[in-house]
Amino acid sequence: MTSRLESEFGLRVGADFTVEGTPGDEDAARYLFAQDAFQFQFWIVGLIGAQPYGATAANKKGKKGGDTGIDGLLYFRTPGGERLEKGIVSVKGGKNLNPTMVRDLVGTVTREKAALGVFLTLDAPTRGMRDEAAKAGVYVYGGQSFPRIQLLTVAEVLEGKRPQVPAGALNVSLERKPVKTGEREAARTGQPLLFGAEDGS
């Protein structure tokens, strides 16, 4: 709901509305990480408009472990509507940050054929991490360039900063599956869709 209010209405958590029961500042985020690192991961992944790894339309909670370097998935449709792109999200709440973590994310982005990767951290990334991110190059769409590996701290996310992607539709995958199912059912039964087609009409 938070990501919908932000992406569809331009509202910002903390400035335009509040969310009870979730961290509102960096200290609260650190407390959550200390209490339950997995819930911290769920929270920060959702806050940037991504989906926890393993989430489905029926179960949006995701899963622990065995994620092969993926903590979340960020989907966006390009402004022209010609394709759906994927971003890989990696979360590190601990203080032991190093450039190898960024190189690992680059490898995961390449393996998954994703457009970009987002590295979320509680502490500020090191200079070496930023250098590794810069080496990864850019994702290009419509004459615009976006960093292929983007480093964001929890503090920056809480201030409203979000991953840089083309100005299309964010986080569209979970919403599209039920619509496609409805279209198939309508075709099977010969009954019209009650709430519009895949284009959202």
Side-chain angles (χ1 to χ4, degrees), residues 3 6 9 16 35 56-57 67 78 80 89 96 103-104 110 120 187:
S3 64
E6 291 185 336
F9 298 97
D16 302 303
Q35 296 300 308
T56 66
D67 59 7
T78 51
V89 182
N96 297 321
R103 288 193 290 270
D104 289 343
T110 301
L120 298 172

Side-chain angles (χ1 to χ4, degrees), residues 51 54-61 173-179 181:
Q51 303 163 18
T56 66
N59 176 17
K60 300 181 183 180
K61 290 184 178 180
S173 62
L174 286 183
E175 289 80 357
R176 291 175 63 80
K177 184 176 180 181
V179 173
T181 302

Side-chain angles (χ1 to χ4, degrees), residues 142-158:
Q144 288 184 291
S145 297
F146 305 87
R148 187 165 181 245
I149 299 298
Q150 302 180 25
L151 309 182
L152 288 175
T153 65
V154 168
E156 289 173 328
V157 172
L158 287 170

Side-chain angles (χ1 to χ4, degrees), residues 31-56:
Y31 178 79
L32 176 60
F33 175 72
Q35 296 300 308
D36 191 329
F38 193 52
Q39 289 302 320
F40 167 82
Q41 176 182 304
F42 277 174
W43 164 70
I44 195 63
V45 165
L47 197 56
I48 66 165
Q51 303 163 18
Y53 174 76
T56 66

Side-chain angles (χ1 to χ4, degrees), residues 14-161:
D16 302 303
F17 65 95
T18 59
V19 180
E20 299 295 331
T22 60
D25 56 38
E26 188 176 349
D27 287 340
R30 291 182 183 279
Y31 178 79
L32 176 60
F33 175 72
Q35 296 300 308
D36 191 329
F38 193 52
Q39 289 302 320
F40 167 82
Q41 176 182 304
F42 277 174
W43 164 70
I44 195 63
V45 165
L47 197 56
I48 66 165
Q51 303 163 18
Y53 174 76
T56 66
N59 176 17
K60 300 181 183 180
K61 290 184 178 180
K63 60 185 179 182
K64 296 184 181 180
D67 59 7
T68 62
I70 304 172
D71 295 320
L73 295 169
L74 178 74
Y75 293 93
F76 61 94
R77 184 161 294 282
T78 51
E82 65 273 26
R83 66 180 182 271
L84 183 68
E85 295 280 32
K86 176 173 67 176
I88 304 298
V89 182
S90 179
V91 180
K92 299 295 180 185
K95 294 180 178 296
N96 297 321
L97 301 174
N98 59 72
T100 300
M101 295 174 176
V102 177
R103 288 193 290 270
D104 289 343
L105 178 57
V106 172
T108 303
V109 167
T110 301
R111 183 190 73 224
E112 297 294 323
K113 297 181 174 61
L116 50 85
V118 181
F119 196 92
L120 298 172
T121 63
L122 255 177
D123 287 294
T126 66
R127 180 174 179 178
M129 294 171 70
R130 296 191 181 281
D131 289 343
E132 286 296 327
K135 291 177 187 176
V138 295
Y139 165 79
V140 179
Y141 177 84
Q144 288 184 291
S145 297
F146 305 87
R148 187 165 181 245
I149 299 298
Q150 302 180 25
L151 309 182
L152 288 175
T153 65
V154 168
E156 289 173 328
V157 172
L158 287 170
E159 290 169 359
K161 191 172 181 179

